[in-house]
Amino acid sequence: MIVRLGYVAMSTIVANASPSKTMTATNFAKLDDREAAVRKLERIAAENIHNTLRLLRHNRAHDVEMYRMSSKLIPLMGHELLAGWDPFPVLAEAFAELGTYAKEHRMRLSFHPDHFTVLSTPRADVLRHSREDLDRHVNMLEAMGLDITAKCNIHIGGTYGNKETARARFIANFTELPGRIKERVTLENDDKTFTASETLEVCEAIGVPMVLDIHHHQVNNTGESPVELWPRIQATWQETGLPPKIHISSPKSDKDVRAHADFIEIEPLMSFLREIAPVTPRLDMMLEAKKKDEALFKLMEDLQGEQGVTLLTQASFEL
């Protein structure tokens, strides 16, 4: 099994390269000249996109081929204060440069819209905002010229007192999304509501790939083993042409098991990987550790002492 590693949004190694610089709505509203305020937002967005490109160059230098971009590339996009604002024409060249670089170096990019993007909601206003947020994320991927292998990963959402009703509502609302959004979506099990097996059932029902979060499964399950579920999870990726993706992180502490630790605890991870390796040709692992790329390189160092592991690059190995 060949495994690639990736990380999320920020680098703890590259200085002054935040892709999430912003302006608060309060500060925007204080500016008397709206046009000047909008131009300032567009400059911040251009800087965020440029910093993302800097991180992709950093990734290439260290053989990192998988990366989750910040959802905050364009500050205040979608806020009611910015109704009617279309930043994409101004940012077209910057987005195109970013996408060209990713394609040239065969990088797998993705987004993970924020937790308020939920399709299981019973509220019409929340559903509308969720649809709009997904549309904005897909607009960014399209502006980069990335094909449908660049995905948006979301959770099913809350249960609102009735998990079966929420599940049915999610499926109905997902089905009504435009095709260009549906083909970009992956679903992930969460740490409080929908378990891995429940999320897998929804993925199979609507035909989207499932991202297995090992840490979430540890703190939210009904006794099922992720190894038992793996053949079905892997099958959800079969038609995408992509390796299955999983999320990995470790509990911060025994008292705070849901929070993410700075680095990855290698023993539980390797136990899972050794079990699925015989049936999994390729696997992509997104690290959600607090130390970001630093945690990725630390994990690669730790892997050197593992039996049966051959390091292939600075960010991939064979098991």
Side-chain angles (χ1 to χ4, degrees):
M1 178 173 69
I2 295 175
V3 182
R4 296 188 301 178
L5 304 183
Y7 67 98
V8 176
M10 304 289 291
S11 168
T12 61
I13 296 173
V14 183
N16 302 314
S18 171
S20 304
K21 295 181 179 181
T22 190
M23 178 195 299
T24 65
T26 301
N27 286 338
F28 179 87
K30 287 179 180 178
L31 298 176
D32 294 331
D33 187 336
R34 176 181 170 84
E35 184 175 344
V38 169
R39 297 294 84 77
K40 185 174 181 179
L41 282 180
E42 291 171 348
R43 288 194 298 273
I44 295 172
E47 185 177 358
N48 286 339
I49 298 168
H50 174 70
N51 281 343
T52 302
L53 181 58
R54 288 179 59 199
L55 293 178
L56 292 193
R57 288 172 175 151
H58 163 69
N59 292 349
R60 184 191 174 210
H62 293 88
D63 305 316
V64 178
E65 298 179 336
M66 184 172 56
Y67 173 72
R68 181 197 300 168
M69 295 176 289
S70 168
S71 287
K72 299 176 181 178
L73 292 179
I74 306 178
L76 298 183
M77 184 170 61
H79 195 282
E80 58 186 10
L81 289 174
L82 276 301
W85 176 45
D86 180 8
F88 285 96
V90 173
L91 300 173
E93 185 175 343
F95 271 127
E97 183 182 14
L98 183 60
T100 297
Y101 190 88
K103 289 183 289 185
E104 180 181 352
H105 300 292
R106 299 179 298 281
M107 293 179 173
R108 181 176 183 177
L109 302 185
S110 63
F111 280 122
H112 194 339
D114 289 333
H115 59 86
F116 57 78
T117 300
V118 287
L119 299 180
S120 64
T121 178
R123 291 177 49 182
D125 59 331
V126 174
L127 177 61
R128 184 181 73 255
H129 289 309
S130 297
R131 289 169 58 98
E132 290 171 352
D133 191 51
L134 284 170
D135 182 69
R136 287 189 291 268
H137 280 82
V138 171
N139 281 343
M140 288 190 284
L141 293 173
E142 291 173 342
M144 295 176 210
L146 301 177
D147 64 23
I148 62 171
T149 59
K151 303 292 187 182
C152 292
N153 185 59
I154 62 174
H155 299 286
I156 294 175
T159 61
Y160 307 97
N162 189 318
K163 185 176 282 189
E164 283 304 311
T165 300
R167 176 186 183 276
R169 192 162 50 236
F170 174 92
I171 292 174
N173 290 334
F174 176 86
T175 302
E176 293 178 358
L177 291 174
R180 56 183 277 276
I181 295 179
K182 287 192 289 188
E183 64 187 6
R184 297 273 189 180
V185 169
T186 60
L187 286 185
E188 172 193 355
N189 56 303
D190 66 70
D191 61 348
K192 292 182 179 179
T193 52
F194 286 91
T195 66
S197 60
E198 291 166 341
T199 303
L200 177 57
E201 289 175 357
V202 173
C203 286
E204 291 171 335
I206 62 178
V208 303
M210 176 177 167
V211 175
L212 173 66
D213 190 304
I214 301 295
H215 185 178
H216 288 172
H217 178 75
Q218 290 173 341
V219 298
N220 181 31
N221 66 78
T222 54
E224 68 276 18
S225 163
V227 175
E228 295 172 3
L229 297 175
W230 183 249
R232 290 169 57 198
I233 293 173
Q234 186 172 213
T236 65
W237 290 92
Q238 190 169 357
E239 295 183 4
T240 67
L242 292 166
K245 180 193 285 187
I246 66 172
H247 288 174
I248 62 170
S249 54
S250 299
K252 182 177 181 180
S253 67
D254 291 340
K255 293 183 178 180
D256 194 0
V257 294
R258 285 185 166 85
H260 293 174
D262 286 347
F263 297 99
I264 301 297
E265 186 180 354
I266 194 169
E267 288 80 7
L269 171 63
M270 291 308 298
S271 176
F272 172 74
L273 294 182
R274 291 186 192 284
E275 291 221 54
I276 69 168
V279 297
T280 311
R282 301 185 68 90
L283 181 69
D284 284 348
M285 298 198 310
M286 183 66 73
L287 274 66
E288 295 187 320
K290 290 296 185 182
K291 287 295 186 178
K292 309 294 184 177
D293 48 347
E294 188 178 346
L296 186 156
F297 300 134
K298 175 67 164 57
L299 178 57
M300 289 298 296
E301 290 178 9
D302 294 342
L303 286 166
Q304 293 183 49
E306 288 292 317
Q307 183 178 0
V309 171
T310 302
L311 303 189
L312 302 177
T313 69
Q314 298 174 81
S316 67
F317 63 93
E318 186 170 10
L319 174 62

